[in-house]
Amino acid sequence: MDQLVTIIGAALVAVGVVNGLGRHEYYLSPAQRRKFQALGWADWVQTYICLMFTKTAICLFLLRIVEVGKVRTCIKATMYFVVLFSAMSVFLFIGACRPLRAYWDVGVDGVCLSDVQIKNVVLAQGILSIIADLVCATFPLIFLRKLQVNLHTKVGLCLLMSLGVITAICCTVRTVLTGALLDKDLSWAIRANICWRFPEVNIGITCANAPILRPLYLYSQNRLASQRTPSTSISKERSWSQAPKQSGSTKLLDHPTAAKIHSPAWDDTTTFVSGSVASMEMGIPSHKVEDSHV
């Protein structure tokens, strides 16, 4: 889901560049201004949704490896907190104007949130997102000391979760640049905010999806091992079926895994299974049986 949302976000930014993002607003036509405002609104909504799914996935991963009750409670509280403030941010942007088209079309009469109110929504979401990133990055340092895993796994988990600190730094810079929303030349002033939004989202997606690489690696190794096993058995069967038949009264059956030798000097039948003696009343080893002739 995160990958799909971030692909949509990248497409929105690409189309926004075509419609004036990164250019001064006095160069834009009225149609470009409307499209730029609409794409900017959609980009904020998808960013909040993507961050919500990313942080929720990280919390669910931490719940899989944590068994301490108090720590699990804190992680669940953080996850519910992330979902709550992200959903509120999305709903506030969806209800920014009534009708919604008035957000990007100045020719439509409607009731909208002021620019200062929209800035406060973005600012509040950024601050809460920074707190959630730092909490998710700090949790592993608490419980990994008592976690019974090898050193390489502990170091890998610490490095993986420490990426949350980088995400928090990107979110901090993005939040500081929120004042660009009040700029008259929005299409030019917002470019730095968007540039910091990209690493924040993509590093978060990396943290959320990196834990599945190890099970995927182990699964691929097992598949390769299982594919090697049948080929080995087939080669053994072919080598047995192509073995020369014994002379005299010794006779090999056509079945590759079993053969019987009949001899009037023996009271019982000597049976070979997979090339070894299964039962022999006389107790003669297999190499003696091959050399004996009646």
Side-chain angles (χ1 to χ4, degrees), residues 246-252 260-264 292-294:
Q246 300 292 330
S247 59
S249 60
T250 305
K251 180 180 179 181
L252 287 173
K260 294 184 179 181
I261 300 177
H262 298 277
S263 175
S292 61
H293 298 281
V294 179

Side-chain angles (χ1 to χ4, degrees), residues 104-149:
W104 56 81
D105 193 349
V106 294
V108 176
D109 293 331
V111 179
C112 298
L113 298 176
S114 65
D115 292 340
V116 175
Q117 289 174 324
I118 293 176
K119 174 198 168 185
N120 292 335
V121 172
V122 176
L123 190 64
Q125 191 278 337
I127 294 173
L128 296 176
S129 184
I130 293 169
I131 296 173
D133 288 334
L134 292 177
V135 169
C136 291
T138 306
F139 270 133
L141 301 178
I142 299 175
F143 62 81
L144 276 181
R145 293 177 299 175
K146 299 181 180 179
L147 193 64
Q148 296 181 355
V149 293

Side-chain angles (χ1 to χ4, degrees), residues 1-9 50 205 209 212:
M1 179 62 74
D2 291 338
Q3 292 88 343
L4 176 61
V5 176
T6 193
I7 289 172
I8 294 174
C50 185
I205 292 175
N209 291 279
I212 68 172

Side-chain angles (χ1 to χ4, degrees), residues 90-107:
V90 171
F91 287 132
L92 285 173
F93 257 86
I94 291 177
C97 288
R98 294 184 181 180
L100 183 59
R101 186 177 177 182
Y103 184 88
W104 56 81
D105 193 349
V106 294

Side-chain angles (χ1 to χ4, degrees), residues 149-224:
V149 293
N150 56 49
L151 181 60
H152 292 84
T153 304
K154 286 185 179 181
V155 173
L157 288 174
C158 287
L159 292 176
L160 178 62
M161 293 297 107
S162 65
L163 292 177
V165 178
I166 302 177
T167 305
I169 293 173
C170 295
C171 186
T172 302
V173 179
R174 188 257 295 177
T175 304
V176 172
L177 297 173
T178 304
L181 294 172
L182 301 178
D183 199 300
K184 297 291 185 179
D185 195 5
L186 181 61
S187 60
W188 172 261
I190 199 64
R191 70 193 190 284
N193 186 290
I194 293 177
C195 288
W196 284 100
R197 214 184 305 169
F198 266 111
E200 177 190 359
V201 171
N202 290 310
I203 293 174
I205 292 175
T206 302
C207 293
N209 291 279
I212 68 172
L213 294 179
R214 179 177 173 81
L216 184 62
Y217 170 76
L218 296 176
Y219 175 75
S220 62
Q221 289 294 103
N222 292 334
R223 288 291 300 271
L224 291 175

Side-chain angles (χ1 to χ4, degrees), residues 9 20 41 47 53 57 60 69 91 95 126 156 181 201 209 227 236 243 246 289 292:
W41 172 87
T47 298
F53 282 124
L60 291 174
F91 287 132
L181 294 172
V201 171
N209 291 279
Q227 289 177 1
K236 289 182 179 180
Q246 300 292 330
V289 174
S292 61

